[in-house]
Amino acid sequence: MVQSSPVHFTAPDGTFWSVHEIRDDKFGLECSLIFVSDEGFRRVRAYPVHWRDLDSNELWELSWSR
């Protein structure tokens, strides 16, 4: 499994999140973003290439996608 360095942001509700990109070689070249906080985690499979340039609100909205 290959993992990128995380990006940290604060959600509109004040929750601190960390997001990083992973590629699991067991499943081919499929990449995902993993959003992690003390509240839980989310996995997003469809996301823009420039996700690291998104602001906190845009990352928060993206975290609710699939």
Side-chain angles (χ1 to χ4, degrees), residues 6-58:
V7 170
H8 305 284
F9 71 97
T10 302
D13 66 357
T15 306
F16 181 76
W17 286 82
S18 175
V19 56
H20 59 272
E21 186 174 39
I22 63 163
R23 184 182 77 231
D24 192 337
D25 295 330
K26 293 179 187 176
F27 299 106
L29 297 177
E30 180 182 327
C31 292
S32 299
L33 289 182
I34 305 297
F35 291 79
V36 180
S37 80
D38 287 341
E39 304 297 319
F41 70 94
R42 299 183 185 130
R43 181 178 186 160
V44 175
R45 291 181 175 91
Y47 54 93
V49 175
H50 68 284
W51 67 272
R52 289 180 167 279
D53 299 327
L54 300 177
D55 66 27
S56 293
N57 288 329
E58 293 168 323

